[in-house]
Amino acid sequence: MATDREIVLEQAIVALLSEAKDAGSDLAIIGEKAKIGIAGNKEYTWVSPDHKVGVRDAIDYLVGRIG
């Protein structure tokens, strides 16, 4: 079961991505760039390597949800 924090974070991310899409952003491109950034340890990456697959899956889920 999701924690309150997880619910709040997912809602915030969905809202931000929805507004980015409405503003003309291509979420598929942003999602791919984010996955490459996580894999390449860009400055916004703090998860350990064993979490990176889960992050990639979460990005795909979120982009697909807004689609």
Short mmCIF file of all heavy atoms in Angstrom, two decimals:
data_model
loop_
_atom_site.label_atom_id
_atom_site.label_comp_id
_atom_site.label_asym_id
_atom_site.label_seq_id
_atom_site.Cartn_x
_atom_site.Cartn_y
_atom_site.Cartn_z
N MET A 1 0.85 -1.18 0.00
CA MET A 1 0.00 0.00 0.00
C MET A 1 0.89 1.24 0.00
O MET A 1 1.89 1.32 0.70
CB MET A 1 -0.90 -0.02 1.23
CG MET A 1 -1.82 1.14 1.33
SD MET A 1 -3.21 0.68 2.37
CE MET A 1 -4.31 1.96 1.95
N ALA A 2 0.50 2.21 -0.78
CA ALA A 2 1.28 3.45 -0.90
C ALA A 2 1.18 4.27 0.38
O ALA A 2 0.13 4.33 1.01
CB ALA A 2 0.78 4.26 -2.08
N THR A 3 2.29 4.91 0.72
CA THR A 3 2.28 5.82 1.86
C THR A 3 1.70 7.16 1.43
O THR A 3 1.58 7.44 0.23
CB THR A 3 3.72 6.05 2.38
OG1 THR A 3 4.46 6.74 1.37
CG2 THR A 3 4.40 4.75 2.75
N ASP A 4 1.33 7.97 2.40
CA ASP A 4 0.82 9.31 2.08
C ASP A 4 1.85 10.09 1.27
O ASP A 4 1.51 10.79 0.32
CB ASP A 4 0.48 10.09 3.36
CG ASP A 4 -0.80 9.60 4.01
OD1 ASP A 4 -1.59 8.88 3.35
OD2 ASP A 4 -1.02 9.95 5.18
N ARG A 5 3.11 9.96 1.62
CA ARG A 5 4.17 10.67 0.90
C ARG A 5 4.23 10.22 -0.56
O ARG A 5 4.38 11.03 -1.46
CB ARG A 5 5.52 10.46 1.58
CG ARG A 5 6.68 11.15 0.86
CD ARG A 5 7.92 11.17 1.71
NE ARG A 5 9.09 11.62 1.01
CZ ARG A 5 9.37 12.86 0.68
NH1 ARG A 5 8.54 13.83 1.01
NH2 ARG A 5 10.48 13.17 0.05
N GLU A 6 4.14 8.93 -0.80
CA GLU A 6 4.16 8.43 -2.17
C GLU A 6 2.97 8.95 -2.97
O GLU A 6 3.12 9.34 -4.14
CB GLU A 6 4.15 6.90 -2.17
CG GLU A 6 5.43 6.29 -1.67
CD GLU A 6 5.33 4.80 -1.41
OE1 GLU A 6 4.24 4.31 -1.04
OE2 GLU A 6 6.35 4.12 -1.58
N ILE A 7 1.81 8.98 -2.37
CA ILE A 7 0.61 9.49 -3.04
C ILE A 7 0.78 10.96 -3.39
O ILE A 7 0.51 11.39 -4.51
CB ILE A 7 -0.64 9.28 -2.16
CG1 ILE A 7 -0.94 7.78 -2.05
CG2 ILE A 7 -1.85 10.04 -2.70
CD1 ILE A 7 -1.94 7.43 -0.97
N VAL A 8 1.27 11.75 -2.44
CA VAL A 8 1.46 13.18 -2.65
C VAL A 8 2.51 13.42 -3.74
O VAL A 8 2.32 14.26 -4.63
CB VAL A 8 1.86 13.87 -1.32
CG1 VAL A 8 2.35 15.28 -1.54
CG2 VAL A 8 0.68 13.86 -0.35
N LEU A 9 3.62 12.69 -3.69
CA LEU A 9 4.67 12.87 -4.69
C LEU A 9 4.19 12.48 -6.08
O LEU A 9 4.45 13.19 -7.06
CB LEU A 9 5.91 12.07 -4.32
CG LEU A 9 6.75 12.63 -3.19
CD1 LEU A 9 7.84 11.64 -2.79
CD2 LEU A 9 7.37 13.96 -3.58
N GLU A 10 3.46 11.37 -6.20
CA GLU A 10 2.96 10.97 -7.51
C GLU A 10 1.97 12.00 -8.05
O GLU A 10 2.02 12.36 -9.23
CB GLU A 10 2.31 9.59 -7.46
CG GLU A 10 1.89 9.13 -8.85
CD GLU A 10 1.41 7.69 -8.89
OE1 GLU A 10 1.75 6.91 -8.00
OE2 GLU A 10 0.69 7.38 -9.84
N GLN A 11 1.10 12.52 -7.20
CA GLN A 11 0.15 13.53 -7.66
C GLN A 11 0.89 14.78 -8.12
O GLN A 11 0.55 15.36 -9.15
CB GLN A 11 -0.83 13.89 -6.54
CG GLN A 11 -1.78 15.01 -6.91
CD GLN A 11 -2.67 14.66 -8.08
OE1 GLN A 11 -3.66 14.00 -7.93
NE2 GLN A 11 -2.31 15.13 -9.28
N ALA A 12 1.90 15.19 -7.38
CA ALA A 12 2.68 16.38 -7.77
C ALA A 12 3.38 16.16 -9.10
O ALA A 12 3.37 17.04 -9.98
CB ALA A 12 3.70 16.72 -6.68
N ILE A 13 3.97 14.99 -9.29
CA ILE A 13 4.68 14.70 -10.54
C ILE A 13 3.70 14.66 -11.70
O ILE A 13 3.98 15.21 -12.78
CB ILE A 13 5.46 13.38 -10.40
CG1 ILE A 13 6.60 13.55 -9.40
CG2 ILE A 13 5.99 12.92 -11.76
CD1 ILE A 13 7.21 12.25 -8.93
N VAL A 14 2.56 14.02 -11.52
CA VAL A 14 1.57 13.95 -12.59
C VAL A 14 1.07 15.35 -12.95
O VAL A 14 0.93 15.69 -14.13
CB VAL A 14 0.41 13.00 -12.20
CG1 VAL A 14 -0.76 13.14 -13.16
CG2 VAL A 14 0.89 11.57 -12.16
N ALA A 15 0.84 16.19 -11.95
CA ALA A 15 0.40 17.56 -12.21
C ALA A 15 1.46 18.34 -12.99
O ALA A 15 1.15 19.02 -13.98
CB ALA A 15 0.07 18.28 -10.90
N LEU A 16 2.72 18.24 -12.56
CA LEU A 16 3.80 18.95 -13.24
C LEU A 16 3.97 18.47 -14.68
O LEU A 16 4.09 19.28 -15.61
CB LEU A 16 5.12 18.76 -12.49
CG LEU A 16 5.27 19.57 -11.20
CD1 LEU A 16 6.47 19.05 -10.41
CD2 LEU A 16 5.43 21.04 -11.52
N LEU A 17 3.95 17.16 -14.88
CA LEU A 17 4.10 16.63 -16.23
C LEU A 17 2.91 16.98 -17.12
O LEU A 17 3.07 17.25 -18.31
CB LEU A 17 4.33 15.12 -16.19
CG LEU A 17 5.68 14.67 -15.63
CD1 LEU A 17 5.72 13.14 -15.51
CD2 LEU A 17 6.83 15.17 -16.47
N SER A 18 1.72 16.97 -16.56
CA SER A 18 0.53 17.34 -17.32
C SER A 18 0.61 18.79 -17.79
O SER A 18 0.30 19.11 -18.94
CB SER A 18 -0.73 17.13 -16.50
OG SER A 18 -0.93 15.76 -16.24
N GLU A 19 1.05 19.67 -16.90
CA GLU A 19 1.19 21.08 -17.27
C GLU A 19 2.32 21.27 -18.28
O GLU A 19 2.20 22.09 -19.20
CB GLU A 19 1.43 21.94 -16.03
CG GLU A 19 0.23 22.00 -15.10
CD GLU A 19 -1.02 22.61 -15.74
OE1 GLU A 19 -0.91 23.42 -16.67
OE2 GLU A 19 -2.13 22.24 -15.29
N ALA A 20 3.39 20.51 -18.15
CA ALA A 20 4.49 20.59 -19.12
C ALA A 20 4.00 20.14 -20.50
O ALA A 20 4.31 20.78 -21.51
CB ALA A 20 5.66 19.72 -18.67
N LYS A 21 3.19 19.09 -20.53
CA LYS A 21 2.63 18.63 -21.81
C LYS A 21 1.71 19.70 -22.39
O LYS A 21 1.77 20.00 -23.59
CB LYS A 21 1.87 17.33 -21.61
CG LYS A 21 1.29 16.79 -22.88
CD LYS A 21 0.53 15.50 -22.65
CE LYS A 21 -0.08 15.04 -23.98
NZ LYS A 21 -0.95 13.90 -23.78
N ASP A 22 0.84 20.27 -21.56
CA ASP A 22 -0.07 21.32 -22.03
C ASP A 22 0.69 22.54 -22.55
O ASP A 22 0.21 23.25 -23.43
CB ASP A 22 -1.03 21.75 -20.92
CG ASP A 22 -2.09 20.70 -20.62
OD1 ASP A 22 -2.22 19.72 -21.40
OD2 ASP A 22 -2.79 20.85 -19.61
N ALA A 23 1.89 22.77 -22.01
CA ALA A 23 2.72 23.90 -22.43
C ALA A 23 3.53 23.58 -23.69
O ALA A 23 4.27 24.42 -24.17
CB ALA A 23 3.65 24.33 -21.30
N GLY A 24 3.37 22.37 -24.20
CA GLY A 24 4.03 22.02 -25.44
C GLY A 24 5.25 21.12 -25.33
O GLY A 24 5.90 20.84 -26.34
N SER A 25 5.57 20.68 -24.14
CA SER A 25 6.73 19.81 -23.97
C SER A 25 6.43 18.41 -24.48
O SER A 25 5.30 17.92 -24.34
CB SER A 25 7.13 19.71 -22.50
OG SER A 25 7.56 20.96 -22.02
N ASP A 26 7.42 17.76 -25.04
CA ASP A 26 7.30 16.39 -25.50
C ASP A 26 7.75 15.47 -24.37
O ASP A 26 8.95 15.34 -24.11
CB ASP A 26 8.15 16.17 -26.75
CG ASP A 26 7.96 14.81 -27.37
OD1 ASP A 26 7.68 13.83 -26.63
OD2 ASP A 26 8.10 14.71 -28.60
N LEU A 27 6.79 14.86 -23.69
CA LEU A 27 7.11 14.05 -22.53
C LEU A 27 7.92 12.81 -22.88
O LEU A 27 8.72 12.35 -22.06
CB LEU A 27 5.85 13.66 -21.77
CG LEU A 27 5.05 14.82 -21.18
CD1 LEU A 27 3.88 14.28 -20.37
CD2 LEU A 27 5.91 15.72 -20.33
N ALA A 28 7.74 12.28 -24.08
CA ALA A 28 8.53 11.11 -24.48
C ALA A 28 10.01 11.47 -24.54
O ALA A 28 10.86 10.71 -24.06
CB ALA A 28 8.04 10.58 -25.82
N ILE A 29 10.32 12.62 -25.10
CA ILE A 29 11.71 13.07 -25.18
C ILE A 29 12.25 13.37 -23.79
O ILE A 29 13.36 12.96 -23.44
CB ILE A 29 11.84 14.30 -26.10
CG1 ILE A 29 11.58 13.89 -27.55
CG2 ILE A 29 13.22 14.95 -25.96
CD1 ILE A 29 11.48 15.05 -28.52
N ILE A 30 11.47 14.07 -22.99
CA ILE A 30 11.90 14.39 -21.62
C ILE A 30 12.14 13.10 -20.82
O ILE A 30 13.12 12.98 -20.09
CB ILE A 30 10.86 15.29 -20.91
CG1 ILE A 30 10.84 16.67 -21.56
CG2 ILE A 30 11.15 15.38 -19.41
CD1 ILE A 30 9.69 17.54 -21.10
N GLY A 31 11.24 12.13 -20.97
CA GLY A 31 11.39 10.86 -20.26
C GLY A 31 12.67 10.14 -20.66
O GLY A 31 13.40 9.63 -19.81
N GLU A 32 12.95 10.09 -21.97
CA GLU A 32 14.17 9.42 -22.43
C GLU A 32 15.41 10.14 -21.92
O GLU A 32 16.38 9.50 -21.49
CB GLU A 32 14.19 9.34 -23.96
CG GLU A 32 13.21 8.33 -24.52
CD GLU A 32 13.40 6.93 -23.97
OE1 GLU A 32 14.55 6.43 -23.93
OE2 GLU A 32 12.39 6.32 -23.56
N LYS A 33 15.40 11.47 -21.97
CA LYS A 33 16.54 12.23 -21.47
C LYS A 33 16.73 12.01 -19.97
O LYS A 33 17.86 11.90 -19.49
CB LYS A 33 16.37 13.71 -21.78
CG LYS A 33 16.51 14.02 -23.27
CD LYS A 33 16.37 15.48 -23.56
CE LYS A 33 17.67 16.15 -23.22
NZ LYS A 33 17.80 17.50 -23.73
N ALA A 34 15.64 11.93 -19.22
CA ALA A 34 15.73 11.69 -17.78
C ALA A 34 16.31 10.31 -17.49
O ALA A 34 17.16 10.16 -16.60
CB ALA A 34 14.36 11.83 -17.13
N LYS A 35 15.89 9.30 -18.25
CA LYS A 35 16.43 7.96 -18.04
C LYS A 35 17.92 7.92 -18.37
O LYS A 35 18.70 7.30 -17.63
CB LYS A 35 15.66 6.93 -18.88
CG LYS A 35 14.24 6.73 -18.37
CD LYS A 35 13.53 5.59 -19.07
CE LYS A 35 13.22 5.89 -20.49
NZ LYS A 35 12.42 4.83 -21.15
N ILE A 36 18.33 8.59 -19.43
CA ILE A 36 19.76 8.67 -19.77
C ILE A 36 20.53 9.41 -18.67
O ILE A 36 21.61 9.01 -18.28
CB ILE A 36 19.95 9.34 -21.15
CG1 ILE A 36 19.42 8.41 -22.25
CG2 ILE A 36 21.41 9.72 -21.38
CD1 ILE A 36 19.26 9.08 -23.60
N GLY A 37 19.93 10.48 -18.16
CA GLY A 37 20.56 11.25 -17.08
C GLY A 37 20.74 10.44 -15.82
O GLY A 37 21.81 10.49 -15.18
N ILE A 38 19.73 9.66 -15.45
CA ILE A 38 19.84 8.80 -14.25
C ILE A 38 20.92 7.75 -14.47
O ILE A 38 21.76 7.52 -13.60
CB ILE A 38 18.48 8.13 -13.94
CG1 ILE A 38 17.46 9.17 -13.45
CG2 ILE A 38 18.64 7.00 -12.93
CD1 ILE A 38 17.70 9.73 -12.07
N ALA A 39 20.91 7.12 -15.64
CA ALA A 39 21.92 6.09 -15.93
C ALA A 39 23.33 6.68 -15.92
O ALA A 39 24.28 6.02 -15.51
CB ALA A 39 21.63 5.44 -17.28
N GLY A 40 23.46 7.93 -16.37
CA GLY A 40 24.76 8.57 -16.45
C GLY A 40 25.16 9.38 -15.23
O GLY A 40 26.15 10.10 -15.25
N ASN A 41 24.36 9.29 -14.17
CA ASN A 41 24.66 9.98 -12.91
C ASN A 41 24.72 11.49 -13.02
O ASN A 41 25.59 12.15 -12.45
CB ASN A 41 25.96 9.46 -12.29
CG ASN A 41 25.86 8.04 -11.85
OD1 ASN A 41 24.88 7.64 -11.23
ND2 ASN A 41 26.85 7.23 -12.19
N LYS A 42 23.76 12.07 -13.75
CA LYS A 42 23.70 13.54 -13.80
C LYS A 42 23.53 14.09 -12.39
O LYS A 42 23.19 13.36 -11.45
CB LYS A 42 22.53 13.98 -14.69
CG LYS A 42 22.90 13.92 -16.17
CD LYS A 42 21.86 14.60 -17.01
CE LYS A 42 22.32 15.99 -17.31
NZ LYS A 42 21.54 16.65 -18.34
N GLU A 43 23.73 15.38 -12.25
CA GLU A 43 23.74 16.02 -10.93
C GLU A 43 22.47 15.81 -10.11
O GLU A 43 22.49 15.93 -8.90
CB GLU A 43 24.04 17.51 -11.07
CG GLU A 43 23.01 18.30 -11.84
CD GLU A 43 23.19 18.28 -13.36
OE1 GLU A 43 24.15 17.68 -13.87
OE2 GLU A 43 22.34 18.87 -14.03
N TYR A 44 21.36 15.49 -10.74
CA TYR A 44 20.11 15.28 -9.99
C TYR A 44 19.94 13.82 -9.54
O TYR A 44 18.92 13.47 -8.97
CB TYR A 44 18.89 15.72 -10.80
CG TYR A 44 18.81 15.16 -12.21
CD1 TYR A 44 18.46 13.84 -12.43
CD2 TYR A 44 19.10 15.95 -13.30
CE1 TYR A 44 18.38 13.32 -13.71
CE2 TYR A 44 19.03 15.45 -14.58
CZ TYR A 44 18.66 14.13 -14.79
OH TYR A 44 18.60 13.64 -16.05
N THR A 45 20.93 12.98 -9.79
CA THR A 45 20.84 11.55 -9.44
C THR A 45 21.42 11.31 -8.05
O THR A 45 22.55 11.69 -7.78
CB THR A 45 21.61 10.71 -10.48
OG1 THR A 45 21.10 10.99 -11.76
CG2 THR A 45 21.48 9.23 -10.18
N TRP A 46 20.64 10.68 -7.19
CA TRP A 46 21.18 10.33 -5.87
C TRP A 46 20.89 8.88 -5.52
O TRP A 46 21.35 8.38 -4.50
CB TRP A 46 20.65 11.26 -4.77
CG TRP A 46 19.18 11.16 -4.52
CD1 TRP A 46 18.53 10.23 -3.74
CD2 TRP A 46 18.16 12.00 -5.06
NE1 TRP A 46 17.18 10.45 -3.77
CE2 TRP A 46 16.92 11.55 -4.57
CE3 TRP A 46 18.18 13.10 -5.89
CZ2 TRP A 46 15.73 12.15 -4.90
CZ3 TRP A 46 16.98 13.70 -6.22
CH2 TRP A 46 15.77 13.23 -5.72
N VAL A 47 20.16 8.15 -6.35
CA VAL A 47 19.85 6.77 -6.03
C VAL A 47 21.03 5.86 -6.35
O VAL A 47 21.85 6.14 -7.21
CB VAL A 47 18.59 6.27 -6.80
CG1 VAL A 47 17.36 7.03 -6.39
CG2 VAL A 47 18.79 6.31 -8.29
N SER A 48 21.07 4.75 -5.63
CA SER A 48 22.13 3.77 -5.86
C SER A 48 21.81 2.99 -7.15
O SER A 48 20.67 2.98 -7.61
CB SER A 48 22.23 2.82 -4.67
OG SER A 48 21.02 2.11 -4.52
N PRO A 49 22.81 2.34 -7.71
CA PRO A 49 22.60 1.61 -8.96
C PRO A 49 21.46 0.59 -8.89
O PRO A 49 20.76 0.39 -9.88
CB PRO A 49 23.94 0.91 -9.20
CG PRO A 49 24.94 1.82 -8.56
CD PRO A 49 24.24 2.34 -7.32
N ASP A 50 21.24 -0.03 -7.74
CA ASP A 50 20.18 -1.03 -7.64
C ASP A 50 18.78 -0.42 -7.72
O ASP A 50 17.80 -1.14 -7.91
CB ASP A 50 20.34 -1.89 -6.39
CG ASP A 50 20.40 -1.09 -5.11
OD1 ASP A 50 21.08 -0.06 -5.09
OD2 ASP A 50 19.77 -1.51 -4.11
N HIS A 51 18.65 0.89 -7.61
CA HIS A 51 17.35 1.56 -7.74
C HIS A 51 17.11 2.13 -9.14
O HIS A 51 15.99 2.52 -9.46
CB HIS A 51 17.24 2.70 -6.72
CG HIS A 51 17.01 2.23 -5.33
ND1 HIS A 51 18.03 2.05 -4.45
CD2 HIS A 51 15.87 1.89 -4.69
CE1 HIS A 51 17.53 1.62 -3.30
NE2 HIS A 51 16.23 1.50 -3.42
N LYS A 52 18.12 2.17 -9.95
CA LYS A 52 18.01 2.84 -11.25
C LYS A 52 17.00 2.16 -12.18
O LYS A 52 16.30 2.85 -12.92
CB LYS A 52 19.37 2.98 -11.91
CG LYS A 52 20.22 4.01 -11.19
CD LYS A 52 21.52 4.25 -11.88
CE LYS A 52 22.29 5.32 -11.12
NZ LYS A 52 23.49 5.72 -11.81
N VAL A 53 16.89 0.86 -12.14
CA VAL A 53 15.90 0.17 -12.97
C VAL A 53 14.50 0.57 -12.54
O VAL A 53 13.63 0.84 -13.38
CB VAL A 53 16.09 -1.36 -12.89
CG1 VAL A 53 14.93 -2.09 -13.57
CG2 VAL A 53 17.41 -1.77 -13.53
N GLY A 54 14.28 0.66 -11.24
CA GLY A 54 12.98 1.09 -10.74
C GLY A 54 12.65 2.52 -11.14
O GLY A 54 11.50 2.84 -11.45
N VAL A 55 13.66 3.38 -11.14
CA VAL A 55 13.46 4.76 -11.57
C VAL A 55 13.08 4.80 -13.05
O VAL A 55 12.14 5.49 -13.45
CB VAL A 55 14.72 5.62 -11.31
CG1 VAL A 55 14.58 7.00 -11.94
CG2 VAL A 55 14.99 5.74 -9.82
N ARG A 56 13.77 4.03 -13.86
CA ARG A 56 13.45 3.96 -15.29
C ARG A 56 12.01 3.50 -15.50
O ARG A 56 11.26 4.07 -16.28
CB ARG A 56 14.42 3.02 -16.00
CG ARG A 56 14.21 3.00 -17.50
CD ARG A 56 15.02 1.91 -18.18
NE ARG A 56 14.49 0.62 -17.76
CZ ARG A 56 15.24 -0.45 -17.51
NH1 ARG A 56 16.54 -0.40 -17.63
NH2 ARG A 56 14.68 -1.58 -17.14
N ASP A 57 11.61 2.47 -14.76
CA ASP A 57 10.25 1.96 -14.87
C ASP A 57 9.23 3.00 -14.42
O ASP A 57 8.16 3.14 -15.02
CB ASP A 57 10.08 0.68 -14.05
CG ASP A 57 10.88 -0.48 -14.59
OD1 ASP A 57 11.34 -0.42 -15.76
OD2 ASP A 57 11.07 -1.47 -13.85
N ALA A 58 9.56 3.75 -13.37
CA ALA A 58 8.66 4.79 -12.88
C ALA A 58 8.50 5.91 -13.91
O ALA A 58 7.39 6.44 -14.10
CB ALA A 58 9.17 5.36 -11.55
N ILE A 59 9.58 6.28 -14.57
CA ILE A 59 9.51 7.31 -15.61
C ILE A 59 8.59 6.83 -16.74
O ILE A 59 7.71 7.57 -17.19
CB ILE A 59 10.91 7.66 -16.14
CG1 ILE A 59 11.71 8.41 -15.07
CG2 ILE A 59 10.82 8.50 -17.43
CD1 ILE A 59 13.18 8.58 -15.37
N ASP A 60 8.78 5.59 -17.17
CA ASP A 60 7.92 5.04 -18.23
C ASP A 60 6.45 5.03 -17.79
O ASP A 60 5.56 5.38 -18.57
CB ASP A 60 8.35 3.63 -18.60
CG ASP A 60 9.67 3.60 -19.36
OD1 ASP A 60 10.07 4.63 -19.94
OD2 ASP A 60 10.31 2.52 -19.37
N TYR A 61 6.20 4.64 -16.55
CA TYR A 61 4.84 4.63 -16.01
C TYR A 61 4.22 6.02 -16.02
O TYR A 61 3.10 6.21 -16.49
CB TYR A 61 4.85 4.05 -14.59
CG TYR A 61 3.59 4.30 -13.82
CD1 TYR A 61 2.45 3.54 -14.06
CD2 TYR A 61 3.53 5.29 -12.84
CE1 TYR A 61 1.28 3.78 -13.33
CE2 TYR A 61 2.38 5.53 -12.13
CZ TYR A 61 1.25 4.77 -12.38
OH TYR A 61 0.10 5.00 -11.67
N LEU A 62 4.95 7.00 -15.53
CA LEU A 62 4.43 8.37 -15.44
C LEU A 62 4.19 8.99 -16.81
O LEU A 62 3.14 9.60 -17.04
CB LEU A 62 5.36 9.24 -14.60
CG LEU A 62 5.37 8.92 -13.11
CD1 LEU A 62 6.57 9.55 -12.44
CD2 LEU A 62 4.07 9.38 -12.46
N VAL A 63 5.15 8.82 -17.71
CA VAL A 63 4.97 9.37 -19.06
C VAL A 63 3.79 8.68 -19.74
O VAL A 63 2.97 9.33 -20.40
CB VAL A 63 6.28 9.24 -19.89
CG1 VAL A 63 6.03 9.55 -21.34
CG2 VAL A 63 7.36 10.14 -19.31
N GLY A 64 3.67 7.37 -19.57
CA GLY A 64 2.54 6.64 -20.15
C GLY A 64 1.20 7.05 -19.56
O GLY A 64 0.18 7.09 -20.25
N ARG A 65 1.21 7.37 -18.29
CA ARG A 65 -0.03 7.78 -17.62
C ARG A 65 -0.54 9.10 -18.14
O ARG A 65 -1.75 9.32 -18.23
CB ARG A 65 0.23 7.86 -16.12
CG ARG A 65 -1.00 8.18 -15.33
CD ARG A 65 -0.81 7.93 -13.88
NE ARG A 65 -2.06 8.30 -13.22
CZ ARG A 65 -2.24 8.30 -11.94
NH1 ARG A 65 -1.29 7.92 -11.14
NH2 ARG A 65 -3.38 8.66 -11.43
N ILE A 66 0.36 9.99 -18.51
CA ILE A 66 -0.05 11.31 -19.01
C ILE A 66 -0.27 11.25 -20.51
O ILE A 66 -1.13 11.92 -21.03
CB ILE A 66 1.02 12.35 -18.66
CG1 ILE A 66 1.26 12.30 -17.24
CG2 ILE A 66 0.67 13.72 -19.19
CD1 ILE A 66 1.41 12.91 -16.17
N GLY A 67 0.58 10.47 -21.16
CA GLY A 67 0.57 10.16 -22.56
C GLY A 67 0.14 11.12 -23.52
O GLY A 67 -0.05 11.33 -24.55
#
